[in-house]
Amino acid sequence: MDPGRLETWREDLRNAVASAVLDIEDRYGYPPEENVVSEPDTIAAERLAVVRPAIPDDLVKLYAAVGAVDLPDIGNGFFLHRASDVAHAHGARDLWHVRGRHDVDVVVFASDGGGTQYALAAPAGSPVYRLPPDLVLDGIYTSEDPRFDVAAPDLSTFLDRLLQAVKTFAASSTPASF
C-alpha cells in the first residue's frame, strides 16, 4: 500500500465523517459523539512493526499513516483499533486464529459497534475476514455462522469500502454493511 494513498484516504475519510455527523442531532435528537480519524502514533506504529513477520506489511503501512478511527455515530459504529492495541492483543494471543468456515492465523485490527471484528490473515495480509460474535477459547475463534466470511479481498479494498460506507451514511443516513 502506497503511503501517499493512505494519507489521501485518511483525509478523504475525515471529510466524509465531518459531512456525516453534520446533522446527527437534527436526525436523531442527540449530539454526535466524538468521531475521530487520528494522526498516526509513530511510537505505537514502530512497536507494531517490531512484531513482524506476524503482522502483515499492509497493516504496518496503514498504521504509519493513520492512528485510530473511532466512528461511534456512523451506522452502529466502526473502530479501527490503535496500533498499540493491535500489538498488545496479538502479542497476548487474545484472538490469533480462526476456525470453522475458514482456518487461518489472523490479526484483529477493527470492530463495529455490534461486536463484529475484522481481521487480516497473518502473515499474508489478505483477505480481511468478518468475525461476527462467537466462541473464542484460548485465542481461537470458532464459528460456522455464514456471516463469518471474507469481508474484502485485501486491506486496500476494505478501506475503500469503509470510506464508501461513510459517504453513503452522510448522503442517506443508511448504514452500509461490510
Side-chain angles (χ1 to χ4, degrees), residues 80-157:
L80 175 69
H81 304 166
R82 288 163 176 69
S84 58
D85 295 337
V86 172
H88 174 75
H90 191 70
R93 296 175 70 88
D94 290 346
L95 193 165
W96 64 274
H97 189 83
V98 296
R99 181 183 318 167
R101 295 175 50 91
H102 305 277
D103 191 350
V104 64
D105 289 350
V106 296
V107 176
V108 175
F109 69 96
S111 59
D112 69 16
T116 297
Q117 299 183 79
Y118 298 91
L120 276 170
S126 62
V128 176
Y129 292 99
R130 177 187 312 102
L131 313 176
D134 218 321
L135 177 67
V136 177
L137 186 61
D138 295 328
I140 300 173
Y141 170 92
T142 304
S143 181
E144 293 298 333
D145 187 324
R147 296 173 299 160
F148 166 35
D149 210 350
V150 172
D154 53 44
L155 185 57
S156 180
T157 302

Side-chain angles (χ1 to χ4, degrees), residues 5-48:
R5 180 190 180 286
L6 288 168
E7 290 173 9
T8 299
W9 176 85
R10 181 187 67 217
E11 295 310 312
D12 289 348
L13 184 61
R14 280 184 176 153
N15 291 334
V17 169
S19 176
V21 299
L22 255 169
D23 63 348
I24 290 278
E25 191 163 7
D26 291 339
R27 277 192 259 167
Y28 301 108
Y30 60 86
E33 293 184 47
E34 190 173 2
N35 292 268
V36 178
V37 180
S38 65
E39 293 292 321
D41 176 342
T42 55
I43 294 170
E46 289 170 6
R47 189 175 317 133
L48 187 65

